[in-house]
C-alpha cells in the first residue's frame, strides 16, 4: 500500500537536500560552537551560516535570530520572556481566541501569576479585526500576541495592520508564524513584529528545531538560563544537526517558494473542486486569505477520528480536530470560535499538501474519503435523524 | 493505538442499523463529547432475538457498540443486564486509557434499551432516558462532558479532571 501523506501541517518530510546536509554534517563534524579551538570554530562557522539562512527567510538580520527547540519553545520564550521582563510596566496582554495551545497555555500560566489577558474574538472566517486589537490595548498592555496563519483553519491574519497599531502604541508584538513561515512570504519588517516564532518542520526541515526572531531593544528575558549561547538569550548547547537542517531548509524554502506555493495551491484547488461530490461539507477558514497548503473541512454527522482511521487503512495520512482523537473533552477551541457547532467540529479533518504530492494522490484521497464518509454516515444516528430515515 | 480486535470491530462492525419495529430503544451520549449511540432491540420470550446499533463517534465508540451487540445477541434480558462496560473492554482486548468514556457508552445504551423494554411492558408511555446523561439536542447542547480517562462528569471548560487529575485540554499539534 502506498502512503499518501497529506499531513504537512503536523510535520513535513525532510527535503532530500536537507537530509543530505544533515548526514554530511554528522558524518564529518562535531564539537561545540562555544569552544575556542579549531573544532569549535568550525562548528561556530556552520552555526552562523545556518543563522544567516534562517534570517534571510524572514528578512531579518542574523543577530536578531536565536535557535530554539521548535515552535513551542519560541512561543513560550517570547510570551513569558516579555511578560517577565516588562512586569513592572504592566500586566495586561492582548491575544486572539484562535491561538495555538503553546500561546494559550503560556498565557494561562501567566494569568495564574497575576497577569490579565484580553482574548479577541475572530469572525466566521477566523479573521482578527485590527480595530479590536486597537481597542483592547490599554496603558497597562505589555504584549500583543497574534498568530500569522492558523494551523487548524489556515486563515492568514492581517499582521501588518496590527503591527502598525502596536508600533503606534509602542507595545511589543509577538507573532506565532509557525504554520506560515517557509510556506508563504514572512517578512518581519513589513509585518512590523518585534518577536516571531518559527519551526523547521513546517518547511521540510527536521522536527525539534526552531527559531525566534527578536527585534533589537525588545525587552525579553531568557526562557532557558544557562551558558553564553545565543548571546546569553538562550542557554544550552546547540542542536547542531538540527540547526544545519533548518538552515538548509530555510535556504531552499526561500529559493523555491513561488513554485511550491503554486504547486500546493493547485493541489488544494483540485481537492476543493473534488469535494463537491460529497454533500454537507463545511469549509473552514477564509476563502482567499488562507494558507495555500491547507484545507480544513467539517464533515457533518460523522466523527473525525473514525474518518482518520479508515483513511489511514487506505494509506492516507491526515489530521483531525475531533475531541476524541486528541484525548480531550471538547472540540477544538478554534472551530468553536468560528461558529461551528459541536457535531461539525467533531467531524473536522485537515488536509495539508506538500511539494511531493501529486494531483493523482489528491484524487485518490478524495475517492477514499467519499467511501469513508458514506460508510460512517450509514451507521450514524445523527445522519439518520437529519435525513428522517 | 487500538488492539486488532478493536480495529476488526471498527472496520467491520456487526449488527449495524436500526430495527424499525423495535421492542425497545436505548440512546446515550451527546455530540458535544463526540459520541452518540442508539441501540434497538427485538425481544422474544425475554430473550434478545435481534439487536442493532447506530453510533456517531470515534473508532473506540464504534468498536464498543459492535462488541456489545455481539455479546448481547441471543442472551436473556437478565443475562444481558450483566454485561458490564468492563467486560466489553475485556472482550475487545483493551482500549487506550483516554477512551473510558466511549467504552462506557456501549453497555449503558444496552442497559437503557432493556430498561425501556421493561417500562414498555409495564405499559408506561415513553421511555426513560439514561439518568446520568441525557441526550441533548444538537443545536443547543448543554455541554455535559465526561473525563476521557475516568468518566467523571466534568463542569464546563474544566481543564483538569478533579477526580483523576488528568488534563482534558485539546492536544493540538
Amino acid at each position: 500500500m502506498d502512503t499518501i501523506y497529506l499531513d504537512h501541517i503536523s510535520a513535513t518530510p525532510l527535503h532530500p537536500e536537507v537530509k543530505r546536509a544533515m548526514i554530511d554534517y554528522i558524518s564529518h563534524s562535531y564539537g561545540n560552537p562555544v569552544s575556542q579551538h579549531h573544532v569549535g570554530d568550525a562548528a561556530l562557522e556552520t552555526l552562523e551560516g545556518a543563522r544567516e539562512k534562517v534570517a534571510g527567510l524572514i528578512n531579518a538580520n542574523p543577530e536578531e535570530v536565536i535557535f530554539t527547540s521548535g515552535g513551542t519553545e519560541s512561543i513560550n520564550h517570547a510570551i513569558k520572556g516579555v511578560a517577565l521582563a516588562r512586569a513592572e510596566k504592566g500586566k495586561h496582554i492582548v491575544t486572539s481566541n484562535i491561538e495555538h495551545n503553546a500561546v494559550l497555555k503560556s498565557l494561562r500560566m501567566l494569568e495564574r501569576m497575576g497577569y490579565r489577558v484580553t482574548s479577541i474574538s475572530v469572525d466566521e472566517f477566523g479573521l482578527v479585526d485590527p480595530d479590536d486589537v486597537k481597542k483592547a490595548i490599554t496603558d497597562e498592555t505589555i504584549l500583543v500576541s497574534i498568530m500569522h496563519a492558523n494551523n487548524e483553519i489556515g486563515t492568514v491574519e492581517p499582521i501588518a495592520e496590527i503591527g502598525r497599531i502596536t508600533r503606534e502604541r509602542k507595545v511589543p508584538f509577538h507573532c506565532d508564524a509557525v504554520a506560515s513561515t517557509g510556506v508563504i512570504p514572512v517578512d518581519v519588517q513589513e509585518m512590523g513584529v518585534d518577536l516571531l516564532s518559527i519551526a523547521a518542520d513546517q518547511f521540510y526541515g527536521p522536527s525539534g528545531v526552531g527559531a525566534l526572531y527578536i527585534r533589537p531593544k525588545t525587552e525579553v528575558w531568557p526562557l532557558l538560563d544557562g551558558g553564553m549561547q545565543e548571546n546569553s538569550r538562550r542557554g544550552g548547547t546547540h542542536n547542531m544537526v538540527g540547526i544545519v537542517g533548518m538552515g538548509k531548509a530555510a535556504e531552499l524554502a526561500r529559493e523555491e517558494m513561488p513554485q511550491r506555493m503554486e504547486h500546493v495551491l493547485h493541489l488544494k484547488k483540485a481537492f476543493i473542486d473534488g469535494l463537491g461530490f460529497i454533500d454537507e461539507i463545511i469549509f473552514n477558514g477564509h476563502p482567499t486569505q488562507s494558507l495555500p497548503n491547507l484545507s480544513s473541512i467539517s464533515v457533518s454527522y460523522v466523527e473525525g477520528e473514525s474518518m482518520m482511521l479508515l483513511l489511514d487503512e487506505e494509506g492516507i495520512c491526515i489530521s483531525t480536530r475531533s475531541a476524541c482523537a486528541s484525548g480531550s473533552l471538547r472540540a477544538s477551541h478554534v472551530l468553536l470560535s468560528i461558529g461551528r457547532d459541536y457535531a461539525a467540529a467533531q467531524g473536522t479533518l485537515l488536509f495539508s499538501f506538500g511539494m511531493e504530492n501529486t494531483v493523482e494522490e489528491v484524487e485518490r484521497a478524495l475517492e477514499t474519503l467519499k467511501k469513508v464518509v458514506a460508510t460512517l454516515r450509514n451507521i450514524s444516528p445523527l445522519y439518520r435523524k437529519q435525513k428522517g430515515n | 493505538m487500538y488492539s486488532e480486535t478493536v480495529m476488526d470491530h471498527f472496520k467491520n462492525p456487526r449488527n449495524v442499523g436500526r430495527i424499525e419495529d423495535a421492542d425497545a430503544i436505548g440512546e446515550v451520549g451527546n455530540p458535544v463529547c463526540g459520541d452518540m449511540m442508539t441501540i434497538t432491540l427485538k425481544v422474544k420470550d425475554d430473550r434478545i432475538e435481534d439487536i442493532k446499533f447506530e453510533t456517531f463517534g470515534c473508532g473506540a465508540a464504534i468498536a464498543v457498540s459492535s462488541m456489545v451487540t455481539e455479546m448481547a445477541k441471543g442472551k436473556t434480558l437478565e443475562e444481558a443486564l450483566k454485561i458490564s462496560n468492563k467486560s466489553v473492554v475485556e472482550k475487545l482486548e483493551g482500549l487506550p486509557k483516554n477512551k473510558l468514556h466511549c467504552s462506557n457508552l456501549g453497555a449503558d445504551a444496552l442497559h437503557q434499551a432493556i430498561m425501556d423494554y421493561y417500562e414498555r411492558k409495564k405499559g408506561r408511555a415513553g421511555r426513560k432516558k439514561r439518568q446520568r446523561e441525557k441526550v441533548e439536542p444538537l443545536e443547543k447542547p448543554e455541554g455535559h462532558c465526561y473525563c476521557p480517562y475516568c468518566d467523571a462528569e466534568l463542569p464546563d471548560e474544566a481543564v483538569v479532571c478533579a477526580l483523576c487529575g488528568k488534563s482534558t485540554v485539546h492536544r493540538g499539534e
Side-chain angles (χ1 to χ4, degrees):
Chain A
M1 183 178 63
D2 294 336
T3 297
I4 298 182
Y5 190 77
L6 303 176
D7 194 17
H8 292 76
I9 199 81
S10 291
T12 51
L14 283 184
H15 192 295
E17 283 188 48
V18 171
K19 197 185 286 179
R20 255 199 304 280
M22 291 173 74
I23 290 170
D24 186 55
Y25 183 81
I26 48 173
S27 306
H28 303 111
S29 309
Y30 60 96
N32 190 328
V34 171
S35 304
Q36 288 168 341
H37 44 62
H38 72 278
V39 172
D41 285 347
L44 182 64
E45 200 175 312
T46 305
L47 173 68
E48 295 311 319
R51 197 188 308 280
E52 266 175 45
K53 288 168 189 161
V54 172
L57 180 62
I58 57 172
N59 193 23
N61 292 317
E63 62 273 17
E64 296 161 357
V65 172
I66 64 171
F67 286 109
T68 67
S69 65
T72 296
E73 186 194 319
S74 299
I75 290 166
N76 272 265
H77 188 159
I79 292 178
K80 294 173 185 169
V82 170
L84 293 174
R86 308 195 81 223
E88 285 177 5
K89 295 192 172 71
K91 288 202 160 184
H92 180 237
I93 298 167
V94 176
T95 190
S96 83
N97 62 358
I98 59 162
E99 298 294 313
H100 189 273
N101 266 331
V103 172
L104 293 182
K105 288 200 185 176
S106 292
L107 292 173
R108 199 169 285 153
M109 155 80 93
L110 290 170
E111 279 182 317
R112 286 203 290 268
M113 294 167 66
Y115 290 79
R116 286 181 304 111
V117 176
T118 300
S119 191
I120 292 167
S121 300
V122 294
D123 69 8
E124 61 186 304
F125 301 114
L127 278 176
V128 172
D129 184 343
D131 251 6
D132 290 342
V133 178
K134 198 175 192 170
K135 283 177 208 151
I137 294 175
T138 69
D139 293 341
E140 297 278 293
T141 308
I142 51 165
L143 176 69
V144 172
S145 186
I146 306 279
M147 71 199 322
H148 187 205
N150 184 275
N151 56 305
E152 291 186 33
I153 56 174
T155 301
V156 177
E157 303 296 343
I159 295 300
E161 276 180 69
I162 298 166
R164 276 194 287 279
I165 293 162
T166 56
R167 278 189 172 177
E168 200 177 290
R169 298 297 304 266
K170 296 194 170 57
V171 178
F173 180 22
H174 167 248
C175 179
D176 162 12
V178 171
S180 59
T181 304
V183 178
I184 57 174
V186 169
D187 182 325
V188 292
Q189 314 306 340
E190 265 179 30
M191 289 157 81
V193 296
D194 300 296
L195 303 117
L196 183 116
S197 295
I198 69 178
D201 66 3
Q202 299 293 303
F203 50 93
Y204 308 97
S207 291
V209 58
L212 176 63
Y213 162 78
I214 306 174
R215 188 175 292 280
K217 293 181 186 156
T218 305
E219 297 166 271
V220 53
W221 281 6
L223 186 69
L224 300 181
D225 292 302
M228 303 274 292
Q229 292 89 356
E230 307 294 286
N231 270 336
S232 297
R233 289 174 294 182
R234 198 264 189 189
T237 305
H238 295 93
N239 165 17
M240 284 302 292
V241 64
I243 290 170
V244 165
M246 184 172 191
K248 188 70 196 174
E251 182 185 18
L252 293 165
R254 195 179 172 190
E255 283 169 15
E256 297 176 0
M257 193 172 290
Q259 297 92 288
R260 287 186 193 176
M261 280 174 66
E262 198 187 321
H263 182 67
V264 290
L265 193 60
H266 179 61
L267 298 176
K268 181 175 167 174
K269 279 189 177 143
F271 178 75
I272 290 172
D273 290 347
L275 273 179
F277 295 105
I278 306 175
D279 62 337
E280 297 196 67
I281 281 189
I282 308 161
F283 290 92
N284 301 311
H286 197 279
T288 54
Q289 282 165 256
S290 72
L291 286 175
N293 62 339
L294 176 76
S295 205
S296 171
I297 56 167
S298 297
V299 182
S300 304
Y301 319 121
V302 283
E303 192 272 344
E305 189 212 72
S306 51
M307 284 189 277
M308 188 266 288
L309 288 171
L310 287 182
L311 286 165
D312 187 37
E313 287 293 313
E314 302 297 319
I316 297 157
C317 305
I318 54 134
S319 275
T320 171
R321 279 298 170 274
S322 80
C324 246
S326 67
S328 74
L329 284 180
R330 284 173 176 278
S332 139
H333 64 280
V334 176
L335 295 160
L336 297 179
S337 295
I338 59 168
R340 293 289 159 270
D341 66 25
Y342 286 97
Q346 301 287 17
T348 298
L349 304 179
L350 308 187
F351 288 76
S352 47
F353 311 103
M355 59 187 183
E356 79 284 4
N357 292 136
T358 62
V359 172
E360 289 70 37
E361 286 181 324
V362 171
E363 282 168 356
R364 223 186 88 198
L366 279 165
E367 254 169 60
T368 313
L369 177 65
K370 199 175 156 185
K371 278 188 227 154
V372 164
V373 171
T375 303
L376 291 171
R377 278 185 177 167
N378 189 42
I379 64 171
S380 165
L382 295 177
Y383 189 62
R384 183 182 43 73
K385 272 183 189 165
Q386 208 67 27
K387 297 287 154 188
N389 297 325
Chain B
M1 183 169 78
Y2 289 129
S3 73
E4 266 179 45
T5 316
V6 173
M7 283 308 286
D8 177 39
H9 276 265
F10 165 56
K11 284 190 290 180
N12 312 294
R14 284 67 149 174
N15 309 311
V16 166
R18 182 181 173 88
I19 303 168
E20 283 315 324
D21 54 343
D23 296 322
I25 300 175
E27 197 170 46
V28 295
N30 71 55
V32 176
C33 302
D35 43 31
M36 224 177 142
M37 210 174 278
T38 308
I39 282 182
T40 44
L41 298 181
K42 200 78 196 155
V43 181
K44 200 178 175 190
D45 303 330
D46 276 349
R47 195 173 281 278
I48 297 174
E49 200 181 55
D50 198 11
I51 177 167
K52 288 202 186 304
F53 82 89
E54 284 179 323
T55 292
F56 164 85
C58 62
I62 291 170
V64 161
S65 316
S66 167
M67 182 57 93
V68 82
T69 56
E70 276 288 276
M71 288 167 77
K73 208 171 191 176
K75 285 209 167 71
T76 64
L77 295 176
E78 209 174 310
E79 286 165 346
L81 271 175
K82 285 184 191 144
I83 297 172
S84 68
N85 298 315
K86 209 176 147 212
S87 62
V88 177
V89 175
E90 271 164 19
K91 273 268 187 193
L92 284 170
E93 289 168 0
L95 277 172
K97 284 198 177 74
N98 64 342
K99 296 290 185 180
L100 193 70
H101 177 62
C102 321
S103 70
N104 283 358
L105 287 177
D108 286 356
L110 172 68
H111 295 168
Q112 202 193 70
I114 295 169
M115 295 323 283
D116 182 44
Y117 177 77
Y118 287 140
E119 295 273 320
R120 289 188 192 196
K121 223 174 139 188
K122 277 188 222 159
R124 283 188 202 162
R127 57 180 203 276
K128 217 167 145 190
K129 298 275 189 216
R130 187 187 181 199
Q131 293 291 326
R132 201 164 72 78
E133 183 181 3
K134 60 180 196 288
V135 175
E136 294 171 16
L138 254 186
E139 303 74 31
K140 272 178 153 180
E142 284 169 29
H144 294 286
C145 266
Y146 300 87
C147 174
Y149 294 93
C150 73
D151 205 24
E153 184 168 348
L154 292 176
D156 202 42
E157 296 302 321
V159 290
V160 171
C161 173
L163 210 72
C164 72
K166 290 237 167 52
S167 168
T168 62
V169 178
H170 201 262
R171 193 170 63 190
E173 96 275 336

